[in-house]
Amino acid sequence: MPTPGLDGYAEPWRKPEHDDLAELARTFFTKEVVPHAGRLERQGHPDREHYRRAGELGLLGLSVPEQYGGGGGDFTHEAVLLHEQTLAGEGSLGLAVHSGIVTGYIAEYGTEEQKQRWLPGLCSGELIGAIGMTEPDGGSDVQAIRTRAVRDGDDYLVTGAKTFITNGGLADLLVLAVKTDQSAKAHGISLLVCELRDDAPGFRRGRNLEKIGLHSNDTAELFFDDFRVPAGNLLGTENAGFIQLMQQLPQERLVIGVGAVAAMQRAVELATAYAKERTAFGKPLLGHQNTRMVLAECATRTRASRIFLDDCIVRHARGELDVATAAMAKLYLTEGQCEVVDRCLQIFGGYGYTTEYPIAKMYADARVQKIYGGTNEIMKELIARVL
């Protein structure tokens, strides 16, 4: 069903190949993953088999070059995948991190040997990827990370802790931000690729965090105590990690924006359909002026958000998406998601507060969008710096 307010709208970057990809992704999510939603929520993490199946279908690493097992596309292909995942109501697979972020770090900064070693497994779904930046007492302040890596012969000894790590419970491969120069702030950070095994000395997974939303996606604590990482797993050059993170964060924020707009679209679709079917005071909800006004405002916000998002995607494809504009997108789109979902839930009345209706889950899932990827307060600071 087309989203009210977006009927006839076509993304300026979209080609027939994107339509084919969308159909494939939609079929995968709706027929192979969503039917297991209840079980996945109860177990608190996705099935590895679903990652492997996504890999078999060519849905992982869409922007990774073909010689490393990827799809040979670009970010527009990743955007289509993530959009369809949200529209389908599928929230277990951490594809935004796995394909939207982790593969990009390795493809951009990895050596040829590193790319050959890690990218094929990420693209096939045999490896699950995560990124470790946030620490228990660090939040959005990347410069203040305390996890340290000390050179010891051919290895680094890593000591510290990370938290709120999406995919952390299942991850086989972790792009880890560490301090390699304790005397420096931003200029003392490096990125190490950690190959995680639960029996590895010095490594321990903490609890799978219980969250108010995103119940079927694993979000974990990770602990390191003189955990050995080969020096050959350094991504790029030592002490260049902060620059690498800043270069990649605009895409991470755009990934979040894609999910935000898709959620807005789905919320408007669900609320409009419900308003046509549900009656109150002798006529459908859509026959009441207030309902029409709310849906009109939500549809308008969704269309404006879609156009802003597409402008950012076009800029990113040209390599021109700057930090401030990416921050604007993350701020505006996630604020819009929370507002639109909340107002659409109100249309459902008491049913909107019951988990049998998807809008309730969308409400709980939306809140974290304003937190991860850098809080929206940090986004405002980044924007203000260029004013």
Side-chain angles (χ1 to χ4, degrees):
M1 181 180 71
T3 303
L6 284 174
D7 306 57
Y9 175 78
E11 298 92 339
W13 46 264
R14 199 173 183 104
K15 300 176 182 177
E17 66 191 60
H18 294 101
D19 295 331
D20 294 338
L21 171 61
E23 183 177 356
L24 176 63
R26 189 179 312 124
T27 300
F28 168 65
F29 291 128
T30 58
K31 293 188 176 181
E32 301 194 38
V33 187
V34 171
H36 302 280
R39 175 179 60 80
L40 296 174
E41 287 202 12
R42 289 190 297 272
Q43 74 182 21
H45 61 80
D47 287 347
R48 279 186 173 273
E49 181 54 38
H50 289 153
Y51 277 101
R52 296 189 186 101
R53 179 58 176 155
E56 288 177 9
L57 294 172
L59 294 174
L60 301 182
L62 290 166
S63 57
V64 172
E66 292 180 3
Q67 64 262 37
Y68 306 117
D74 57 27
F75 181 76
T76 63
H77 299 89
E78 304 286 3
V80 167
L81 175 72
L82 299 175
H83 182 83
E84 292 298 330
Q85 183 181 19
T86 299
L87 282 185
E90 201 297 294
S92 69
L93 295 167
L95 302 182
V97 170
H98 177 91
S99 286
I101 298 174
V102 174
T103 59
Y105 275 92
I106 296 173
E108 181 68 23
Y109 306 115
T111 64
E112 182 63 25
E113 187 275 333
Q114 290 174 335
K115 294 175 187 178
Q116 293 283 359
R117 187 175 7 144
W118 295 318
L119 288 176
L122 291 170
C123 293
S124 70
E126 292 301 316
L127 297 177
I128 297 175
I131 184 165
M133 286 189 282
T134 306
E135 298 188 350
D137 57 356
S140 296
D141 187 1
V142 178
Q143 298 186 54
I145 67 170
R146 300 172 62 183
T147 299
R148 67 180 186 272
V150 178
R151 189 65 181 262
D152 182 52
D154 293 332
D155 298 325
Y156 285 99
L157 293 179
V158 176
T159 300
K162 300 289 181 177
T163 193
F164 308 135
I165 307 305
T166 300
N167 300 348
L170 293 180
D172 308 288
L173 210 64
L174 176 72
V175 177
L176 182 67
V178 297
K179 272 287 183 69
T180 43
D181 184 348
Q182 305 303 311
S183 64
K185 288 188 176 181
H187 299 295
I189 297 173
S190 300
L191 299 183
L192 297 177
V193 178
C194 303
E195 296 164 291
L196 302 180
R197 301 190 323 274
D198 288 336
D199 61 350
F203 169 67
R204 179 171 62 88
R205 295 184 206 266
R207 60 198 171 103
N208 191 9
L209 300 173
E210 296 184 10
K211 312 180 293 292
I212 64 173
L214 297 176
H215 294 149
S216 56
N217 178 253
D218 54 316
T219 306
E221 302 169 313
L222 303 176
F223 300 98
F224 308 91
D225 184 9
D226 283 343
F227 173 60
R228 287 192 174 273
V229 179
N233 286 20
L234 177 69
L235 204 55
T237 57
E238 195 170 274
N239 299 325
F242 186 76
I243 295 174
Q244 294 167 327
L245 290 169
M246 294 305 102
Q247 290 172 338
Q248 293 297 311
L249 277 171
Q251 175 161 314
E252 179 176 347
R253 288 159 186 163
L254 197 52
V255 162
I256 294 170
V258 169
V261 172
M264 281 188 255
Q265 290 186 218
R266 186 171 184 239
V268 173
E269 290 175 8
L270 291 172
T272 301
Y274 184 79
K276 291 177 179 179
E277 298 171 357
R278 174 75 169 173
T279 59
F281 302 100
K283 58 183 177 181
L285 286 178
L286 199 59
H288 296 274
Q289 185 183 50
N290 181 71
T291 303
R292 295 198 303 273
M293 298 304 100
V294 169
L295 288 172
E297 291 167 353
C298 289
T300 301
R301 180 67 184 263
T302 300
R303 180 161 188 142
S305 297
R306 178 76 246 187
I307 293 170
F308 182 21
L309 172 66
D310 286 332
D311 177 65
C312 290
I313 290 175
V314 170
R315 289 170 180 263
H316 186 52
R318 296 198 304 252
E320 298 173 0
L321 182 64
D322 60 281
V323 171
T325 303
M328 289 178 182
K330 200 269 183 180
L331 171 67
Y332 182 75
L333 300 179
T334 59
E335 295 283 346
Q337 175 186 359
C338 289
E339 177 185 342
V340 167
V341 171
D342 178 67
R343 300 191 73 190
C344 287
L345 183 150
Q346 189 73 14
I347 291 173
F348 285 79
Y351 291 109
Y353 201 65
T354 65
T355 56
E356 65 182 284
Y357 282 80
I359 195 71
K361 181 175 179 295
M362 293 177 66
Y363 180 83
D365 290 349
R367 188 58 182 85
V368 74
Q369 288 270 85
K370 296 195 288 186
I371 298 174
Y372 55 28
T375 64
N376 280 9
E377 289 72 25
I378 296 295
M379 297 305 100
K380 294 174 186 178
E381 181 65 29
L382 294 174
I383 296 163
R385 290 176 184 176
V386 302
L387 299 181

